Amino acid sequence: MMMYDDDDVSVLEDYTPMCLSGQVSPSLLALKYLTYLDLSHNNFQGNSIPSFIGSLKRLTYLNLSQASFGGLVPPQLGNLSNLHYLDLTVDPYSSQELRVSDLNWLSSLSSLNYLNLEGVNLRKGSAHWPEKVNMLPSLMELHLAGCQLSEFPESLSFVNFTSLSILDLSFNNFNSTMPQWVFNIATLLELTLTGSELKGSIPAVAEGVLCKLQKIDLSFNNLTGNIRELAVGLSGCNNSSLEELDLSANKFNGPLPDSLGLHRYLRVLRLSDNSFWGPIPSSLGNLSRLVELNLSFNKMNGTIPESIGQLSKLTTLGLYSNSWEGLVTESHLRNLKELENLKLSSYRASSLKFRSTRGWVPTFNLSSIMIKNCQLGPELPKWLKNQKKLSSITLSGAAISGTVPDWLWELSQQLWTLDLSENRIVGKLPRFLDFGSQAIVNLASNRLEGSFPLWSNVNQLSLRNNLLSGPVPANVDHHMSALKYLDVSNNSLTGDLPSSVSRLKNLVYLDLSSNALSGDIYAGWTVMPKLKILDLSKNNFSGHIPCQMCSLLPSLEWLKLSTNSISGELPSCSLNCTRLYTLDLGKNRLHGIIPQWTEESLNSLSELILRSNSFSGRIPEQLCNSLKLHVLDLADNDLFGSIPRCLGNMAGMKSLEPYYELPPEFRSFYSGSIELNMKGRSMEYNELIPLVNMIDLSINNLSGEIPPEISNLSTLKALILSNNQLTGSIPSNISGLKQLETLDLSFNRLSGQIPPGMSSMTFLNSLNLSYNNLDGEIPRGNQFPTFNPSSFEGNPGLCGLPLSQGCLTPTGQDVQDHEGEDKGNEEDDHGEVWFYVSIALGFLVGFWSVCGTLVIKKSWRQAYFRFIDKMKDKLYLVVQLNTARLRRKLENRT
């Protein structure tokens, strides 16, 4: 939109680019009376904007946008004092960079009405850009989107924008609060600050100050608080001009103000991806011109008001991912004649119900419908059959049962999305279908039967958790060449894995886990250049892992082959995948030593799981050099030797940085699950994998001591060393593992005392020290008395809570006379008898006789105090046991 007024300038709407290239000829200088120069949408191949353009003093219009100029913007452009229009926009897809050394030349363009430097690198002029453009009193439009600006001053000495109507500062790096002076520009009609790293709350503005604004776009920032201040500035207007309000993708909260319903010219209201709560204001039904309403991904609740049905111009209604309840009926949709896109879902399963009469025919004609976690069933709505423009259908978790009607399959050619996942749909899948180009089909978690379908034009296909059977077709590559994501896990597929799968050259993600597939795992495979995630776990595959695995799968990031019958040695050449983050080969028949990685491939490795194989030899110290390894599971093998001391150097165990997360485009398909033995049982981890730092070396033949260097792994969550032949004591500095939750040292040959400092490990909730040679008193502090006694059984020398065996507490005199204790044992036995006799005699000879005897006779004195200590320990044990029982009862009640 051009807001300047110049009779000499005409905009050629049907202009066709000439695709000029090379350099601009200086012969242009011969055109002394040139006022209009447009070289936009050409390809000048990174050549600089010629400085001689600054000599064309009569120019009023200069458009060099998206012409692939590069280098410095010549400051000579400041000589064009008659210029009304300047556009240097950089094509966002161009590899050329256009930049400035400063912005001093701008202040000379006093006649400028329109300035667009979108995509130009203004980093060197960032510190003073507001002052420079503030000196352009005639400026009506200012576009500085994506200019790498970093300064957004809170105040200006004076605001000289007396004509500015459009301000676009999107996609910059301000990292600051919203300045007050922006709202003081009285002439402003459009304000766009999308994705500019703004934070904090919106500044307070007086009532009615923003009445002239037609567009406010503050989306994709980090703005917080409620929108009360903004609502005040927009209220009290005799004639509100607001047409578009976009606050999506921020951190706003609070209820929506009723005053939103007063802006009768409002056409677009986007408030999605925030934390707004409360119900939808019924006043929104007054917005008769509203075309788009998007409240998705908030914390809103309550029922959906029927006043929504009054928005007769509405084309897009987004009420997705909130906590709605109650009913949605025909009354909510009856008058929405223009509706094209409907998105509706609730976090609260089964709380929202969609009800319509059997013969209802809506007045709208949808192109897209998305309803999730809403009771739409039990039947697939028949009114969808009349929606002739449908290209996207998502009815997930909608309590739909029965079979898919034929009319829906007949729509396949016009569909680019079909999602009926998480329902109770039965029946047999059609073998052949044609979908729209690059279609996404998700029928996961139903009870669909049949063989592997051959559906053309499908880009993403998920049929996991169904009842498919039979083999993977040998000609799958001919019918489904567009496949990028394929998930048919947890079905009953059988037979070999045909080599045709490897000829799906666009495949990025492949999950065939939890089936009954068999045969050689890599037989006949060819190069799959784009494959990143491969999960073939929980099948019956056999054969060897080939040396050329990394060359066959050069982009591989996630490899899960666990729970198969893969055998042979693991060649080191198969581990040189430089992008591999996760390697899970657990529960197979691999043997030999654990091979060496190249330094480059080891540095990308994040999770290594080789458990339940027959690997032998020592733990390779090379693993200590890994920068990102945070899950090391070598349990249930035949490893021997000592635990490398250098494990304490593993950088990945010293932080909770998510070294690898599934790309967003995978998350709707693949959870990236890993099965780990934690807290004494097998547990499946998905999104929390980056937070699981663990070492499991259990069920091997490891010997020697537990290296004290392990205490350097400050964020270790689980340390499992059970069922080995470890000796020595538990390192006294193990208490340095402050975040440890699971510690299992059972079934070893450890001796000595449990370090008292372990009582400070307050996150420890699973402890097993059973069947060692530990002795002494169990630490008393924090949660130790509440652990199950089985955590300490098989250690005859241990005493104290939670065991029933109490500990003897030595007296000061015992310590002093410890050296002569052995010598006096025999005398003590006889003395104890005389002690009891002396008690009876004491009643006859009196108190002083007894006390005198205790003073004179050392062995009697020791026996007496030993008796007192026994009574004290028994009393202490009774009190602690009752306290622990009471605490458990209270926890169970809560």
Side-chain angles (χ1 to χ4, degrees), residues 172-183:
N172 282 291
N173 311 312
F174 293 131
N175 192 27
S176 66
T177 56
M178 185 90 170
Q180 177 78 52
W181 60 266
V182 173
F183 289 134

Side-chain angles (χ1 to χ4, degrees), residues 605-608 623 626-632 650-653:
L605 196 63
S606 184
E607 293 106 18
L608 175 61
L623 293 175
S626 172
L627 299 177
K628 299 179 180 180
L629 193 64
H630 70 97
V631 172
L632 177 60
M650 298 175 70
M653 306 284 187

Side-chain angles (χ1 to χ4, degrees), residues 754-760 776-787 792 799-802 806-810 872-873 876-877 880 884 887:
I754 300 174
M758 287 182 64
S759 62
S760 66
E777 184 177 11
I778 296 172
R780 298 183 183 182
N782 292 319
Q783 72 272 40
F784 264 79
T786 66
F787 283 127
F792 306 98
C799 59
L801 289 177
C807 299
L808 298 179
T809 305
K872 182 181 71 175
D873 287 341
Y876 175 78
L877 183 61
Q880 290 295 324
R887 186 183 295 113

Side-chain angles (χ1 to χ4, degrees), residues 264-305:
R264 59 193 183 95
Y265 291 106
L266 199 62
R267 300 179 66 255
V268 175
L269 179 58
R270 300 191 189 108
L271 304 175
S272 60
D273 292 278
N274 280 285
S275 296
F276 291 116
W277 48 264
I280 299 174
S282 58
S283 63
L284 294 189
N286 300 328
L287 302 176
S288 59
R289 303 187 185 209
L290 202 63
V291 173
E292 180 179 349
L293 173 62
N294 194 345
L295 305 177
S296 299
F297 299 101
N298 278 289
K299 298 179 180 178
M300 301 187 71
N301 52 31
T303 59
I304 298 172

Side-chain angles (χ1 to χ4, degrees), residues 732-743:
S732 59
N733 62 352
I734 198 171
S735 58
L737 300 175
K738 296 297 184 183
Q739 297 195 36
L740 200 67
E741 298 176 5
T742 298
L743 177 62

Side-chain angles (χ1 to χ4, degrees), residues 459-460 481-487 501 504-511 528-535 553 555-558 579 660 662-663 665-666 669-670:
N459 179 269
Q460 301 180 23
S481 58
L483 262 182
K484 192 174 182 180
Y485 308 96
L486 175 60
D487 185 352
V501 171
L504 295 169
K505 298 304 180 183
N506 292 311
L507 210 59
V508 174
Y509 161 86
L510 175 62
D511 188 354
M528 302 183 72
K530 298 180 181 180
L531 192 67
K532 292 185 177 182
I533 292 179
L534 176 61
D535 190 346
L553 309 173
S555 300
L556 196 63
E557 296 179 1
W558 186 291
R579 299 183 181 183
Y660 176 71
L662 286 171
E665 65 268 23
F666 294 157
F669 266 73
Y670 190 57

Side-chain angles (χ1 to χ4, degrees), residues 431-709:
R431 185 69 192 278
F432 299 98
L433 283 176
D434 290 330
F435 279 88
S437 179
Q438 302 295 307
I440 298 172
V441 182
N442 187 354
L443 304 178
S445 299
N446 283 286
R447 298 187 63 79
L448 294 163
E449 302 176 10
S451 56
F452 191 108
L454 295 173
W455 295 344
S456 61
N457 298 322
V458 175
N459 179 269
Q460 301 180 23
L461 176 62
S462 178
L463 296 171
R464 68 172 181 266
N465 297 334
N466 276 288
L467 303 173
L468 301 184
S469 57
V472 179
N475 58 348
V476 64
D477 57 321
H478 295 299
H479 291 271
M480 307 186 75
S481 58
L483 262 182
K484 192 174 182 180
Y485 308 96
L486 175 60
D487 185 352
V488 284
S489 62
N490 200 16
N491 280 281
S492 300
L493 298 176
T494 56
D496 296 346
L497 183 61
S499 59
S500 58
V501 171
S502 69
R503 294 195 291 271
L504 295 169
K505 298 304 180 183
N506 292 311
L507 210 59
V508 174
Y509 161 86
L510 175 62
D511 188 354
L512 299 175
S513 63
S514 299
N515 279 284
L517 298 168
S518 57
D520 194 326
I521 196 161
Y522 280 110
W525 276 46
T526 59
V527 176
M528 302 183 72
K530 298 180 181 180
L531 192 67
K532 292 185 177 182
I533 292 179
L534 176 61
D535 190 346
L536 303 178
S537 63
K538 298 181 180 179
N539 279 287
N540 299 316
F541 288 118
S542 58
H544 304 277
I545 295 178
C547 192
Q548 66 272 28
M549 183 186 74
C550 295
S551 57
L552 290 173
L553 309 173
S555 300
L556 196 63
E557 296 179 1
W558 186 291
L559 178 61
K560 188 175 180 182
L561 304 178
S562 57
T563 317
N564 280 288
S565 298
I566 303 169
S567 58
E569 295 187 358
L570 186 61
S572 59
C573 54
S574 68
L575 301 177
N576 296 336
C577 304
T578 56
R579 299 183 181 183
L580 192 63
Y581 290 92
T582 299
L583 177 62
D584 185 356
L585 302 177
K587 299 181 181 179
N588 278 289
R589 300 177 181 177
L590 297 166
H591 63 269
I593 63 171
I594 298 175
Q596 297 286 315
W597 275 262
T598 62
E599 182 177 351
E600 187 178 8
S601 60
L602 186 64
N603 284 341
S604 68
L605 196 63
S606 184
E607 293 106 18
L608 175 61
I609 302 172
L610 302 177
R611 70 176 300 116
S612 300
N613 280 284
S614 298
F615 287 110
S616 58
R618 298 178 180 270
I619 298 173
E621 293 193 3
Q622 187 202 24
L623 293 175
C624 304
N625 301 326
S626 172
L627 299 177
K628 299 179 180 180
L629 193 64
H630 70 97
V631 172
L632 177 60
D633 188 349
L634 306 179
D636 194 13
N637 280 287
D638 296 321
L639 301 173
F640 58 81
S642 60
I643 299 173
R645 290 180 172 270
C646 64
L647 287 184
N649 299 330
M650 298 175 70
M653 306 284 187
K654 297 179 182 180
S655 72
L656 294 179
E657 179 183 348
Y659 293 109
Y660 176 71
E661 291 183 297
L662 286 171
E665 65 268 23
F666 294 157
R667 292 173 192 165
S668 61
F669 266 73
Y670 190 57
S671 61
S673 63
I674 288 182
E675 197 172 285
L676 301 173
N677 276 27
M678 297 279 283
K679 302 179 182 180
R681 62 186 185 275
S682 180
M683 301 175 67
E684 195 167 90
Y685 288 84
N686 299 306
E687 293 85 357
L688 294 179
I689 289 175
L691 302 180
V692 178
N693 288 356
M694 74 163 292
I695 296 176
D696 190 348
L697 307 177
S698 60
I699 319 178
N700 279 289
N701 295 310
L702 300 174
S703 57
E705 298 184 344
I706 300 173
E709 288 81 2

